[in-house]
Amino acid sequence: MAGNKDKAKALANEAIGNVKQGVGKVTDNDKLRAEGKAQELKGDEKQTKADDK
């Protein structure tokens, strides 16, 4: 069960990161795009770890 929670959190991080990147692109805000990319990568990494469990 803990693996499912971790995976859900990871997917949420990826989704939020994608939204931040999109908003950053529309508003021409490079800082927000970078934050979004970092958050997406963090979520991707956590999802990989959850899959390994």
Side-chain angles (χ1 to χ4, degrees), residues 9-23:
K9 286 181 183 180
L11 288 171
N13 262 331
E14 285 186 65
I16 293 168
N18 282 325
V19 170
K20 282 184 179 180
Q21 287 181 74
V23 172

Side-chain angles (χ1 to χ4, degrees), residues 9 11 17 21 25 29 32 34 37 50-51 53:
K9 286 181 183 180
L11 288 171
Q21 287 181 74
K25 187 174 184 178
N29 184 331
L32 190 57
K37 185 64 176 175
D51 286 342
K53 286 184 180 180

Side-chain angles (χ1 to χ4, degrees), residues 17-18 20-21 32-43:
N18 282 325
K20 282 184 179 180
Q21 287 181 74
L32 190 57
R33 284 203 299 205
E35 286 176 14
K37 185 64 176 175
Q39 190 165 3
E40 179 187 6
L41 292 173
K42 180 180 171 185

